[in-house]
Amino acid sequence: MKRRQFITLLGGAAAAWPLAARAQQPAMPVVGIINAGAPETSVSRVTAFRQGLGELGYLDGQNVTIEYRWAEGRYDRYPELVADLIRRKVSVIATGASGPAAFAAKAATSSIPIVFGVGEDPVRLGLVASLARPGGNVTGVNFFTAEVAAKRLGLLRELAPRTTRVAVLVNPTNAASAESTARDVRAAAPALGLQVQMLNAATVREIDNAYASLVHERADALVVAGDGFFNSRRVQLAMLAVRHAIPATYSVRDYPEAGGLISYGTSFADTFRQIGIYCGRILKGATPADLPVLQSTKFELVVNMQAARMLGIDVPPMLLARADEVIE
């Protein structure tokens, strides 16, 4: 072989080596996450999810691809969003903090791992066989939104001691949350000397109608159930509470940050971080069947003092002392 031919052959082989090496590398895993809200209202949760993945060494665009899907408060979109992720051949599906999304994912696949976040008992819901050993392809985080409804009722009584009639707003299309919230509030109300009025809303107009109804029925206060659609309408809910001078309590800090009075519940940032960690563990080879369902331990009480002043409420000093954050 002539020297020039050899150099040409060597140069061609060298140029081909990186291409060959890239061809042999495994495809980058894809994680799909379904969010109940919209991108502009979910920044903190997405950031926490990415942080959780990062703690396991997975960085979006470097060694993992994250595919985001947004329901924007419409539960009827969950089946199509799940189907889209399955077509994308994702390695794991995270269903965020939405029970309906978890059910849609479980109904669509028994092979792709699913990591959920739900506010009710996932065993009672039928998502897993047990908390310690979930079985199947599903595991996740229980963040106790419904179970703390009674606590939120007590906070309302502290804020408005003369309250005798409380309205409870639930989304009937989120049946598990609606039923759990109604059950827990009704169980706690008699000990506090409270009457309970249940209200349903699943659309923007129905939220307006629900407020008109509670004003007509002379409810003294409002408990808003934990729900992805309600969260996407938190500004509307906060404005209606101020307009009608109704003290209201909510499940997550997003509401007082948007002008609502008070929230008590799980830190959703911590929940999404835990979901991200579990997705990372699955990418490293763990199976959902062997990953126990996590139970949230980080709860936060947030009070919006501007909303309190607009409602004419003097927040008790003892309640302020217990608050994790006071928004001035």
Side-chain angles (χ1 to χ4, degrees):
M1 181 180 292
K2 294 182 180 179
R3 186 172 185 273
R4 180 176 294 177
Q5 291 176 317
F6 178 78
I7 291 173
T8 303
L9 178 63
L10 181 62
W17 285 340
L19 295 175
R22 285 196 294 270
Q24 292 172 2
Q25 289 177 353
M28 189 181 296
V30 180
V31 174
I33 178 169
I34 299 173
N35 294 269
E40 61 273 14
T41 60
S42 306
V43 174
S44 63
R45 298 177 187 186
V46 168
T47 299
F49 176 74
R50 289 162 64 105
Q51 179 189 344
L53 273 173
E55 290 180 27
L56 272 291
Y58 290 100
L59 301 177
D60 188 21
Q62 294 187 25
N63 56 358
V64 70
T65 298
I66 303 176
E67 288 281 342
Y68 300 95
R69 297 295 183 270
W70 309 94
E72 299 182 330
R74 289 181 50 194
Y75 289 176
D76 61 326
R77 295 194 63 199
Y78 284 135
E80 71 174 83
L81 296 178
V82 171
D84 190 37
L85 290 176
I86 292 174
R87 286 192 295 269
R88 181 67 175 81
K89 299 187 184 303
V90 297
S91 303
V92 57
I93 298 174
T95 59
S98 172
F103 282 116
K106 184 176 182 180
T109 178
S110 59
S111 57
I112 299 174
I114 298 166
V115 182
F116 61 70
V118 294
E120 301 79 34
D121 179 357
V123 177
R124 186 168 62 198
L125 292 177
L127 285 171
V128 297
S130 74
L131 297 179
R133 296 189 65 82
N137 64 318
V138 183
T139 189
V141 183
N142 178 205
F143 51 84
F144 299 107
T145 295
E147 284 84 343
V148 299
K151 172 74 173 180
R152 293 164 54 207
L153 198 64
L155 289 171
L156 269 182
R157 193 59 186 270
E158 284 188 70
L159 286 169
R162 296 182 181 179
T163 297
T164 59
R165 186 176 180 84
V166 174
V168 181
L169 183 65
V170 299
N171 183 348
T173 63
N174 188 354
S177 173
E179 292 168 5
S180 296
T181 300
R183 180 180 62 248
D184 291 350
V185 169
R186 283 172 171 153
L192 296 170
L194 297 173
Q195 297 177 329
V196 175
Q197 173 191 1
M198 300 302 303
L199 298 171
N200 293 322
T203 66
V204 172
R205 178 174 293 181
E206 287 176 355
I207 289 177
D208 287 331
N209 293 340
Y211 256 94
S213 178
L214 72 88
V215 170
H216 181 264
E217 296 294 332
R218 300 182 182 277
D220 301 308
L222 174 67
V223 173
V224 177
D227 178 74
F229 168 65
F230 290 160
N231 190 279
S232 72
R233 303 303 306 172
R234 56 188 178 271
V235 173
Q236 177 191 8
L237 286 162
M239 291 178 63
L240 284 169
V242 171
R243 181 186 305 166
H244 296 291
I246 298 291
T249 181
Y250 310 93
S251 58
V252 290
R253 67 180 301 130
D254 300 18
Y255 292 91
E257 289 176 347
L261 176 59
I262 188 170
S263 69
Y264 178 77
T266 302
S267 165
F268 265 20
D270 189 58
T271 296
F272 273 74
R273 173 181 158 272
Q274 291 175 322
I275 292 173
I277 289 173
Y278 259 20
C279 287
R281 290 185 63 179
I282 288 169
L283 292 180
K284 286 185 176 294
T287 61
D290 297 325
L291 291 175
V293 174
L294 300 174
Q295 295 184 298
S296 294
T297 58
K298 186 176 181 180
F299 293 81
E300 51 189 8
L301 172 63
V302 181
V303 181
N304 185 318
M305 290 301 292
Q306 183 179 11
R309 287 190 289 269
M310 293 177 71
L311 291 167
I313 293 175
D314 293 323
V315 181
M318 291 296 291
L319 194 156
L320 286 177
R322 301 200 310 270
D324 296 281
E325 183 176 350
V326 177
I327 300 173
E328 294 291 347

